[in-house]
Amino acid sequence: MQVTAYAHRVHLLSPLSSPALSLPSAKHCRCRNRNAAATTVRMGLREDGPSVAVVGVTGAVGQEFLRVLSDRDFPYRNIRLLASRRSAGKRLTFEDREYTIEELRPESFEGIDIALFSAGGSISKEFGPVAVERGSIVVDNSSAFRMVPEVPLVIPEVNPEAMAHIKLKGRSGKGALIANPNCSTIICLMAATPLHRHAKVVRMVVSTYQAASGAGAAAMEELLQQTHEVLDGKHPTCKIFKQQYAFNLFSHNAAVLSNGYNEEEMKLVKETRKIWNDMDVKVTATCIRVPVMRAHAESVNLQFEKPLDEDTARRILEGAAGVAVIDDRESNHFPTPLDVSNKDDVAVGRIRQDLSQDGNLGLDIFVCGDQIRKGAALNAIQIAEKLL
């Protein structure tokens, strides 16, 4: 697939942009490429496919939408690329066809079956309901609708049943909204949910180490620029963040609420309860921004209702869809953001019994996942695949 030079530049900010690069082998590592035909819909451009719109196509996630659509041969009969007025009229090549980016308008959704949104919460709130009124199924990557009770909040490997009642308009004549969870929630629950199903999590403590990609393409550019500036002995340019990012880490830049938690941390709390359909599960989180270009890491401590030993937990995770286990104690090799950059799987390691809890009622795990891919674009397109 070809994309704009801008998109290539953003994509190449990751040292692991080569699609041929696979996850490293390890003693306890089951590494898979989720682009394999056995796990994806392989149809591509076809007359009986749905009509697709990508909203926010010039952003980092919007560009990743296109990569994932192409990688997975998602079926579509036509595709409409939508962005703000300043990007309208620009040309973009997708799967050897040239398209003109169109300005986002209410009429943009006429005849659209599936609309993939990643243009920010305010745009989603304005145009999401408009698209639904015109019969489109909106898969929204913002936080605008996640906690609306009637809107499904979906990770396809975790709770596909939440969207079972939604059908493409060609079959039902109705539009609908489906929300993509926050990237940190997706990465965490991909690993925690298989264990939760087996032994029931009663309390979860999450500490995140979040990459620049979570703040968008501009933040990735700023980290790269600051790294060059600091190495050259210059004062770092701080536009996206209020403090130096290169060679530093700091509390996540989301607004801090009256309870002392920031918005990112509360998303993990609230979204976990909704996705697991369990308002009693106790969740606490501390979210940190680290100078990593792409892919988040998370330390997760789990307390269970029933005993779960680490060997059983490892076997459960090795069999979990979308999860790769990297857990080689002998060589001290465990998941890293570089391992998962541009990869579909979430990697899990450091699987060990929590010594502070008796009776095999606690585990610690370390999780890494590509925020732009599984944490955003891939998850949204997997949702769309469930509609086919």
Side-chain angles (χ1 to χ4, degrees), residues 26-316:
K27 182 179 179 181
H28 298 291
C29 177
R30 182 175 57 86
C31 305
R32 298 162 297 181
N33 186 338
R34 284 287 151 188
N35 295 336
T39 62
T40 61
V41 180
R42 290 274 170 193
M43 288 180 266
L45 182 63
R46 51 181 289 170
E47 297 259 331
D48 60 347
S51 179
V52 176
V54 177
V55 180
V57 71
T58 58
V61 175
Q63 291 289 301
E64 195 72 11
F65 276 147
L66 297 184
R67 278 187 281 272
V68 176
L69 286 169
S70 184
D71 287 348
R72 296 176 75 84
D73 285 336
F74 186 90
Y76 62 95
R77 70 175 179 273
N78 56 65
I79 188 165
R80 187 170 294 164
L81 308 183
L82 304 171
S84 64
R85 179 178 299 176
R86 68 177 178 272
S87 296
K90 294 180 180 178
R91 307 291 288 176
L92 188 151
T93 300
F94 172 63
E95 294 196 325
D96 300 323
R97 291 176 175 83
E98 193 172 71
Y99 295 85
T100 299
I101 297 175
E102 303 174 34
E103 181 182 353
L104 177 62
R105 301 175 183 270
E107 55 269 27
S108 300
F109 302 101
E110 294 295 342
I112 294 296
D113 298 308
I114 298 172
L116 304 170
F117 272 66
S118 188
S122 60
I123 296 296
S124 293
K125 288 178 181 178
E126 180 180 357
F127 287 96
V130 171
V132 171
E133 288 175 5
R134 284 162 168 76
S136 304
I137 295 179
V138 172
V139 184
D140 182 46
N141 194 56
S142 79
S143 61
F145 305 107
R146 288 174 185 157
M147 299 315 298
V148 176
E150 61 270 21
V151 175
L153 184 64
V154 178
I155 305 172
E157 297 92 339
V158 172
N159 64 332
E161 69 283 352
M163 53 178 281
H165 64 288
I166 297 176
K167 305 295 181 184
L168 285 176
K169 71 177 185 179
R171 301 167 199 173
S172 68
K174 298 179 181 178
L177 270 168
I178 304 172
N180 219 32
N182 185 51
C183 52
S184 297
T185 305
I186 292 173
I187 292 165
C188 176
L189 296 193
M190 283 292 293
T193 300
L195 305 177
H196 173 62
R197 288 175 180 146
H198 184 86
K200 186 173 173 38
V201 173
V202 295
R203 184 171 186 262
M204 181 168 69
V205 181
V206 185
S207 299
T208 72
Y209 313 88
Q210 296 184 222
S213 56
M220 297 169 76
E221 292 277 12
E222 180 161 295
L223 176 56
L224 185 64
Q225 178 183 355
Q226 283 192 9
T227 301
H228 286 299
E229 290 171 338
V230 173
L231 291 175
D232 289 341
K234 299 177 182 177
H235 186 75
T237 301
C238 300
K239 294 181 180 178
I240 304 302
F241 300 112
K242 297 179 181 179
Q243 53 197 308
Q244 179 177 325
Y245 193 11
F247 306 99
N248 193 22
L249 57 84
F250 46 81
S251 182
H252 192 281
N253 49 295
V256 179
L257 307 174
S258 60
N259 64 359
Y261 286 73
N262 64 42
E263 290 177 348
E264 187 80 358
E265 292 157 353
M266 290 308 300
K267 288 174 184 176
L268 261 166
V269 174
K270 295 176 180 179
E271 292 176 19
T272 296
R273 290 172 176 169
K274 181 173 179 177
I275 292 167
W276 280 357
N277 192 28
D278 184 354
M279 294 300 107
D280 296 324
V281 64
K282 297 178 180 178
V283 181
T284 186
T286 301
C287 294
I288 302 297
R289 189 74 76 184
V290 297
V292 170
M293 194 62 71
R294 174 175 182 145
H296 293 348
E298 304 182 15
S299 171
V300 183
N301 175 265
L302 300 164
Q303 181 181 343
F304 299 101
E305 184 176 86
K306 298 184 294 184
L308 178 61
D309 64 83
E310 64 183 40
D311 290 334
T312 301
R314 188 175 290 106
R315 287 195 297 271
I316 291 169

